[in-house]
């Protein structure tokens, strides 16, 4: 029984230790492109801090720098990023740094509303 509990604990730790950013939504409304994603508490540093910077949307062989960033911090941090309107998204990828570590999200063009 102890071995089973230890194994379950180890698996849960491994899954949360490698938590990836999750895309929540993507829209091309009101003359801008808005991307919403979440970060888990595992992305916070040892002082419970979370620094997000260098947010770039890459698509159609072009790069777009974030025009506005807003974050709601908590157990799960929700980040809202606005870019100038991207007319057509193909092979889109959002790249950014979290506490100095590079992260990315591949964006499926079917998510645009």
């Amino acid at each position: 029984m102890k071995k089973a509990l230890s194994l379950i604990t180890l698996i849960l730790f491994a899954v949360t230790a490698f938590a990836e950013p999750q895309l929540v939504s993507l829209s091309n409304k009101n003359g801008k492109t808005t991307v919403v994603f979440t970060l888990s508490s595992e992305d916070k540093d040892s002082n419970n801090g979370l620094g997000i910077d260098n947010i770039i949307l890459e698509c159609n062989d072009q790069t777009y720098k974030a025009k506005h960033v807003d974050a709601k911090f908590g157990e799960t941090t929700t980040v809202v990023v606005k870019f100038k309107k991207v007319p057509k998204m193909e092979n889109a990828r959002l790249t950014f740094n979290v506490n100095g570590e590079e992260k990315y999200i591949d964006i499926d063009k079917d998510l645009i509303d």
Side-chain angles (χ1 to χ4, degrees):
M1 184 67 159
K2 283 185 180 181
K3 286 183 182 181
L5 288 175
S6 295
L7 180 60
I8 291 171
T9 302
L10 182 61
I11 290 170
L12 288 174
F13 177 74
V15 168
T16 57
F18 299 107
E20 294 296 321
Q22 298 295 310
L23 182 65
V24 175
S25 68
L26 175 70
S27 80
N28 256 344
K29 294 181 180 177
N30 301 321
K32 61 186 170 277
T33 297
T34 304
V35 180
V36 179
F37 64 94
T38 59
L39 298 169
S40 69
S41 60
E42 286 78 25
D43 287 308
K44 294 180 180 178
D45 66 15
S46 60
N47 295 320
N48 207 28
L50 189 64
I52 307 164
D53 63 357
N54 200 28
I55 304 173
I56 297 174
L57 179 61
E58 302 168 343
C59 64
N60 310 324
D61 296 323
Q62 293 188 11
T63 59
Y64 301 86
K65 286 192 170 195
K67 298 289 184 191
H68 178 80
V69 180
D70 189 24
K72 295 178 184 172
F73 298 98
E75 194 62 31
T76 300
T77 300
T78 301
V79 183
V80 178
V81 187
K82 296 180 182 178
F83 301 88
K84 77 174 197 174
K85 187 169 184 170
V86 179
K88 184 177 178 184
M89 293 187 120
E90 291 180 356
N91 302 317
R93 180 178 177 136
L94 185 71
T95 62
F96 50 96
N97 293 330
V98 177
N99 294 333
E101 181 181 342
E102 189 172 321
K103 304 267 185 175
Y104 70 90
I105 300 173
D106 287 324
I107 299 174
D108 185 346
K109 66 181 178 184
D110 295 333
L111 292 174
I112 298 175
D113 58 7

